[in-house]
Amino acid sequence: MPHLKIGIIPVTLFEQNCSLVWNEETMKGVVIDPGGDLPRIRDAITKAGVTVEKILLTHGHIDHAGGAAELAAELGVPVEGPHQADAFLLERLPESGKSYGMAGARPVTPNRWLDEGDTVSMGGESFDVLHCPGHSPGSVVFVSPELKLAIVGDVLFRGSVGRSDIAGGDHATLIASIKTKLLPLGDDFAFLCGHGPGGNIGEERRTNPFLR
Ligand SMILES: [Zn+2]
Ligand SMILES: [Zn+2]
């Protein structure tokens, strides 16, 4: 069994679930979606005693990516993801931040764009990348078949799905992404999402009103 630990750090006024994922044996790990509130994220990293190797982004929205450039520069680590279709969102992060009263967001240029079929490493554990557009054009999901865990960003929520009224969003595309890529993972897959509590695929397949 891999020795992965996950800490959730709610950040920004949107209470976005920034995640610190690390290997308990090597104490190396990643930060997923550092949207803002960097002091809180730094604190969590220090308390856990983790050496951060990279930053991963599920998509380009301000609450997920707003602090990525600053944290990457500070830690001297690369940014991986999302899919290149979110480049326009990452470029306009400063303007987007201003419109929500979040100062200091910098544009992000990822060191690596991700696409369907890629893999990313978190604390030495391999995750498959799924491209799941609809909430944003470049949303990606990280899947560990071994852990039966999916980190889904804002694609799927417990009892809900991501909004599709933001630039580049499309509801039908989002539902298709969930039905063709997330539900087939299997009912026993757990998921962590960008806002609120996580859940499992089986319960969403059975009860999520957006997936009927
Ligand atoms: Zn979003
Ligand atoms: Zn979000």
Side-chain angles (χ1 to χ4, degrees):
M1 215 33 206
H3 300 265
L4 278 198
K5 281 204 85 172
I6 301 178
I8 304 285
I9 311 142
V11 295
T12 78
L13 67 161
F14 301 99
E15 304 214 320
Q16 195 275 120
N17 293 327
C18 170
S19 302
L20 180 62
V21 181
W22 74 97
N23 182 314
E24 274 189 300
E25 291 188 330
T26 64
M27 294 310 286
K28 291 178 179 169
V30 303
V31 175
I32 306 175
D33 288 354
D37 293 332
L38 291 192
R40 223 184 277 175
I41 298 173
R42 280 186 213 112
D43 217 47
I45 295 169
T46 308
K47 272 192 189 134
V50 174
T51 303
V52 173
E53 296 183 305
K54 73 180 89 168
I55 290 168
L56 293 171
L57 296 179
T58 62
H59 64 295
H61 287 154
I62 182 74
D63 50 328
H64 297 255
E70 190 179 343
L71 189 63
E74 230 177 69
L75 299 175
V77 298
V79 176
E80 297 187 5
H83 186 281
Q84 193 159 11
D86 269 9
F88 75 107
L89 293 169
L90 296 172
E91 282 157 18
R92 64 163 89 141
L93 283 170
E95 296 74 24
S96 172
K98 261 179 223 155
S99 71
Y100 292 110
M102 295 163 64
R106 297 188 202 162
V108 180
T109 309
N111 301 78
R112 179 189 175 202
W113 295 110
L114 296 176
D115 203 349
E116 183 86 12
D118 286 344
T119 60
V120 293
S121 155
M122 304 188 200
E125 185 69 15
S126 179
F127 282 69
D128 299 327
V129 174
L130 303 179
H131 179 211
C132 294
H135 171 65
S136 74
S139 284
V140 293
V141 166
F142 305 118
V143 175
S144 164
E146 196 177 353
L147 296 170
K148 293 194 178 293
L149 171 70
I151 299 172
V152 304
D154 287 354
V155 173
L156 176 68
F157 297 118
R158 195 167 182 171
S160 187
V161 299
R163 52 191 285 196
S164 47
D165 58 336
I166 312 173
D170 182 77
H171 187 71
T173 305
L174 175 67
I175 298 302
S177 286
I178 296 170
K179 287 188 170 174
T180 62
K181 297 191 179 178
L182 298 189
L183 297 191
L185 291 174
D187 285 358
D188 55 345
F189 263 70
F191 68 89
L192 292 177
C193 49
H195 305 267
N200 67 76
I201 295 295
E203 189 178 339
E204 298 317 310
R205 190 179 54 74
R206 287 189 299 270
T207 65
N208 191 314
F210 294 91
L211 303 178
R212 294 247 165 87

